[in-house]
């Protein structure tokens, strides 16, 4: 009987501890599946090409907060394909893997001592043209890894800015892309590049109207070791317009300026109506 009582007490204590631990976490994510299709019959005089497109996206965050400690984590996965009539190949419309982690130790009301880590790459091969004979990227090529200590200003989970004056960044590329040439600013014959610079990461999410949310993600990086005046900028805007619990219209807009890759602004835009599931 004493053993049963002791086991019951231990079980109750374990459950209570687990619930307390669980209560320190705020978890949640959204899975979105978008589908677009256009079709024209042979008598359509306005012109157009039959096409189908689909895009899947997972945006998941799990944030920890207890006493003076905060730890914010986010996973973003996205992949999209399109196919047009007369072209036997599917083409990518979206391809993204991003993992980020940010830890903070409270210093004042809204300020924290911080440390962060960010990793970016893609799922599949990328090509310069629709013929897909000129591969320019693939999984883990390029891959970007950034980390460093800094200062975090955080008013809420939806409004924060992290400043890292000493941020290390590594760029990884498969040797097939640096055979005879440089790629993503990795020198010919090499597979990686190291940089040290300053990084600013800002996040702001708000509801502009009822059932319409705007998520803004901004990253800026300046390399101290080479052309510190050239600032790399990566801005993403995600707009979700809720129709009901399972349907929504979504817009994703991303603009990148990185003169190591190309001396121009890269722009990606995805729009569609699709299935929406929160978990």
């Amino acid at each position: 009987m004493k053993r049963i009582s002791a086991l019951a007490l231990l079980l109750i204590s374990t459950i209570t501890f687990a619930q307390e631990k669980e209560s320190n976490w705020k978890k949640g994510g959204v899975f979105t599946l978008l589908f677009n299709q256009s079709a024209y019959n042979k008598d359509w005089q306005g012109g157009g090409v039959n096409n189908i497109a689909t895009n899947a996206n997972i945006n998941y965050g799990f944030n920890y907060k207890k006493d003076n400690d905060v730890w914010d984590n986010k996973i973003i996965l996205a992949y999209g394909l399109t196919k047009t009539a007369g072209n036997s190949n599917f083409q990518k419309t979206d391809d993204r893997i991003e993992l980020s982690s940010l830890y903070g130790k409270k210093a004042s009301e809204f300020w924290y001592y911080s440390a962060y880590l960010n990793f970016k790459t893609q799922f599949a091969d990328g090509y310069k043209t629709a013929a897909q004979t000129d591969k320019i990227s693939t999984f883990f090529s390029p891959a970007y890894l950034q980390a460093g200590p800094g200062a975090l200003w955080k008013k809420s989970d939806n409004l924060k800015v992290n400043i890292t004056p000493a941020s290390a960044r590594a760029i990884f590329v498969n040797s097939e892309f640096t055979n005879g040439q440089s790629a993503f600013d990795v020198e010919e014959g090499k597979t990686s590049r190291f940089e040290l610079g300053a990084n600013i990461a800002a996040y702001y999410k708000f509801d502009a109207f009822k059932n319409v949310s705007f998520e803004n993600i901004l990253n800026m990086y300046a390399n101290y070791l080479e052309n510190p005046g050239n600032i790399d900028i990566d801005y993403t805007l995600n707009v979700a317009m809720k129709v009901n619990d399972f349907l929504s219209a979504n817009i994703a807009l991303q603009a990148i300026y990185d003169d190591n890759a190309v001396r121009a602004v890269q722009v990606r835009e995805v729009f569609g109506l699709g299935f929406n599931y929160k978990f």
Side-chain angles (χ1 to χ4, degrees):
M1 186 67 180
K2 290 182 179 179
R3 290 183 179 180
I4 295 175
S5 299
L7 286 172
L9 181 61
L10 179 61
L11 180 60
I12 292 171
S13 301
T14 302
I15 293 173
T16 302
F17 177 75
Q19 289 176 338
E20 181 183 352
K21 282 289 187 182
E22 185 69 22
S23 66
N24 296 323
W25 287 94
K26 184 178 180 181
K27 307 173 186 177
V30 178
F31 169 73
T32 304
L33 182 62
L34 304 177
F35 178 78
N36 297 294
Q37 186 260 344
S38 299
Y40 310 87
N41 72 356
K42 63 179 181 179
D43 298 313
W44 183 257
Q45 297 299 303
V49 179
N50 295 351
N51 67 87
I52 57 172
T54 185
N55 183 280
N57 181 284
I58 294 176
N59 190 326
Y60 183 73
F62 47 107
N63 299 340
Y64 176 84
K65 183 177 181 181
K66 184 179 181 182
D67 300 330
N68 294 324
D69 298 300
V70 295
W71 185 22
D72 298 346
N73 303 275
K74 181 177 280 290
I75 299 173
I76 298 175
L77 306 174
Y79 192 71
L81 292 170
T82 186
K83 188 177 186 303
T84 58
N87 189 344
S88 59
N89 297 319
F90 280 90
Q91 296 173 271
K92 286 197 304 183
T93 56
D94 199 1
D95 191 357
R96 184 179 182 187
I97 301 173
E98 182 170 355
L99 313 174
S100 59
S101 185
L102 174 63
Y103 170 78
K105 187 78 171 179
K106 196 165 189 177
S108 62
E109 184 178 5
F110 296 123
W111 284 97
Y112 297 78
Y113 304 108
S114 69
Y116 91 106
L117 183 144
N118 179 269
F119 173 76
K120 297 179 183 179
T121 188
Q122 62 190 53
F123 285 102
D125 296 344
Y127 298 90
K128 195 171 184 179
T129 63
Q132 298 189 1
T133 57
D134 43 5
K135 187 166 69 171
I136 57 173
S137 61
T138 189
F139 174 71
F140 212 83
S141 185
Y144 300 89
L145 179 65
Q146 285 185 217
L152 168 66
W153 181 86
K154 181 177 180 180
K155 190 171 183 179
S156 69
D157 286 343
N158 292 330
L159 179 57
K160 53 193 172 185
V161 179
N162 188 60
I163 303 169
T164 309
S167 176
R169 180 165 77 163
I171 306 172
F172 303 97
V173 178
N174 191 295
S175 59
E176 68 176 298
F177 301 109
T178 56
N179 183 15
Q181 61 184 358
S182 63
F184 304 99
D185 214 35
V186 176
E187 294 180 3
E188 178 184 347
K190 296 186 177 181
T191 58
S192 63
R193 171 186 169 89
F194 175 80
E195 298 178 348
L196 179 66
N199 186 81
I200 296 177
Y203 181 86
Y204 181 37
K205 184 178 180 180
F206 65 96
D207 293 330
F209 311 100
K210 184 179 180 181
N211 296 330
V212 180
S213 67
F214 285 71
E215 181 184 49
N216 299 270
I217 304 171
L218 173 65
N219 284 280
M220 296 186 293
Y221 184 83
N223 181 17
Y224 293 143
L225 305 180
E226 184 179 320
N227 299 324
N230 292 345
I231 300 175
D232 297 342
I233 300 173
D234 186 340
Y235 170 71
T236 300
L237 170 65
N238 296 313
V239 182
M241 295 165 280
K242 180 180 177 182
V243 178
N244 55 40
D245 289 340
F246 297 102
L247 292 177
S248 68
N250 295 270
I251 301 172
L253 175 65
Q254 184 177 16
I256 297 174
Y257 179 77
D258 182 353
D259 65 354
N260 292 331
V262 58
R263 295 183 180 276
V265 178
Q266 306 171 60
V267 178
R268 175 184 66 88
E269 184 266 332
V270 179
F271 170 77
L273 176 67
F275 172 77
N276 200 63
Y277 176 71
K278 291 186 177 182
F279 58 94

